[in-house]
Amino acid sequence: MNVEKLKKMKGKEKIVMVTAYDAPSARIAQDAGIDIILVGDSLGNNVLGYENTIPVTMEEMLIHVAAVRRGAPKAFVVADMPFLSYQPSLEKAIENAGRFLKVGANAVKIEGGEEFGDVVQRLVESGIPVMGHIGLTPQFVNRFGGYRVQGKTEKSREYLLRSARELEKRGAFAIVLEMVVEEVAKEITEGISIPTIGIGSGRFCDGQVLVWHDLLGLNPDFAPRFSKRYANLYETILKALQEFKKEVKEGIFPSEEHVFTDKSQGGVSS
Ligand code: KIV
């Protein structure tokens, strides 16, 4: 996969993107044939135990982007630019985005509308492909005053349409639409020539992205309406751990097949 192939998928084939944050997950996503792996800054709430994405640092993201690349050497990997890694200056944006490419990312994603057009342009001119992200942009949660659906008012609709056109003009290769009302997401998708990838933005986007932990049911306390649980891994893992505990307490594990004796043959794996 590459940026040009992704752009050509618009109108022909839906694009599938999923977040992943570590090597084993990335390997599964690659084996499943997922088009894009996004190392989202949702790393913060899904993996690092933060309340939201604001505390996530470049150093944390770099470790996880490198791990994802090691786990999925052939995948198209997008690294999310964390809060304040691109907002302070164009120089800072180029330097930080470049660090992601050096550890194996194919592209970066930045949150923000038309006001970030110059950042997108400078990154693209520097050889760094950029995915835009508009609608509900969690790094701006304090400005929005909460996680609200976007595009409900005429003012918000116009801003989103203007932003999508501006990001396209400045060279973004795709745009994530997060929590945008379906009608507006459709209008944006039909109004630009680059793919839109939706999350909570309805049926008409050029692709869809889901967060690893939501898709696989790893967090029993969080089941957003726009997401779908394709598995309930929380339950699966809970049951496995309970069984392990029981078997150790009862002396069932380890049994003869799991132990080494001076007559054992072979190595560690079965
Ligand atoms: O960080 C993330 O997981 C994201 C997706 C919700 C698109 O930005």
Side-chain angles (χ1 to χ4, degrees), residues 19 21 38 40-42 80 109 111 133 176 178 199 209 211:
T19 68
Y21 313 100
L38 169 67
D41 62 353
S42 53
D80 224 353
K109 175 168 84 56
E111 293 185 11
H133 181 164
V176 168
E178 180 165 355
I199 177 160
V209 51
V211 168

Side-chain angles (χ1 to χ4, degrees), residues 253-270:
F253 178 84
S255 60
E256 203 178 336
E257 67 197 288
H258 303 115
V259 301
F260 301 105
T261 66
D262 51 8
K263 293 180 194 59
S264 298
Q265 305 254 313
V268 174
S269 55
S270 50

